[in-house]
Amino acid sequence: MEAILKREIVVDKSLSRIILIVSFAAAITLGAHVRIPLPFTPVPLTLQTFFVLLSAALLGARMGMAAQVLYLCAGAAGLGVFTGSGAGLSYFQGVTGGYLVGFMAAQFVVPFLSRSIAIEKSVLRAAAVFLLADFVLLACGTLWLKTVYGCSGKQAMLCGFWAFVPGDILKALLAAGIYTAAAPRIKEITR
């Protein structure tokens, strides 16, 4: 009896996977609503990247991508899931459009690097992978600002990349700590 009480049983992995995908799409939505406007950039600081990085690591490439697609499709369909309760296809043309594309790019970087580096065993390795993926995400947003809004390269880097690095270092470290603690249990479901 004691052995049964100490062990959780996942009866239906398919249902558990769907719940994880929907939960991460919802978490990214909640992260979008934690919004801190910065006076020197039109792009606000949010918690979205925190959940994007966690979904990429915990869910893996396919399920993490499914969470991103669900989030982006919900916003495109008109649900107010984006920052500032934004919604609709026109939102993708705004200042944060490049970052939304960057969410998808981060979904490729984290699982790809995780295969060759055992990030489950080291918070610092996980944080380094998360930070690299976050820099790819920020680069997508910065390129968007430069290209679509005609910013100079220096201006785009300042307001689209460097403005977010200190906060994103902290988010990567926190995500890495949570990941190393949660990975063994979540991996039972996602495999």
Side-chain angles (χ1 to χ4, degrees):
M1 182 69 164
E2 195 172 307
I4 292 172
L5 293 176
K6 289 184 179 179
R7 192 175 116 193
E8 293 180 44
I9 299 172
V10 177
V11 178
D12 187 352
K13 283 189 178 185
S14 297
L15 178 60
S16 297
R17 290 176 183 142
I18 291 169
I19 290 169
L20 281 171
I21 291 167
V22 171
S23 296
F24 270 102
I28 294 165
T29 299
L30 292 174
H33 294 289
V34 176
R35 179 178 183 244
I36 302 169
L38 301 174
F40 47 87
T41 178
V43 181
L45 182 67
T46 70
L47 281 180
Q48 289 170 292
T49 55
F50 175 78
F51 294 111
V52 167
L53 296 172
L54 272 178
S55 71
L58 288 172
L59 302 183
R62 288 185 306 164
M63 289 176 53
M65 187 61 72
Q68 298 310 313
V69 168
L70 178 60
Y71 169 71
L72 295 173
C73 286
L79 298 176
V81 299
F82 297 137
T83 302
S85 296
L89 287 173
S90 63
Y91 193 85
F92 289 91
Q93 298 170 352
V95 293
T96 60
Y99 297 97
L100 295 174
V101 171
F103 291 177
M104 305 290 274
Q107 288 300 319
F108 288 110
V109 173
V110 172
F112 176 76
L113 291 177
S114 296
R115 282 188 217 116
S116 58
I117 304 168
I119 66 171
E120 301 93 19
K121 298 175 183 173
S122 169
V123 172
L124 290 179
R125 276 187 263 171
V129 168
F130 291 171
L131 201 54
L132 182 60
D134 186 65
F135 286 170
V136 169
L137 189 158
L138 291 174
C140 291
T142 302
L143 285 172
W144 178 260
L145 289 174
K146 183 179 180 336
T147 305
V148 175
Y149 289 96
C151 299
S152 69
K154 184 178 180 180
Q155 187 182 17
M157 283 297 289
L158 191 61
C159 70
F161 191 92
W162 295 116
F164 302 101
V165 169
D168 285 2
I169 290 171
L170 181 61
K171 286 188 265 184
L173 285 168
L174 289 172
I178 291 171
Y179 170 73
T180 54
R185 180 64 179 119
I186 299 293
K187 294 293 181 185
E188 290 177 24
I189 297 168
T190 59
R191 285 186 199 151

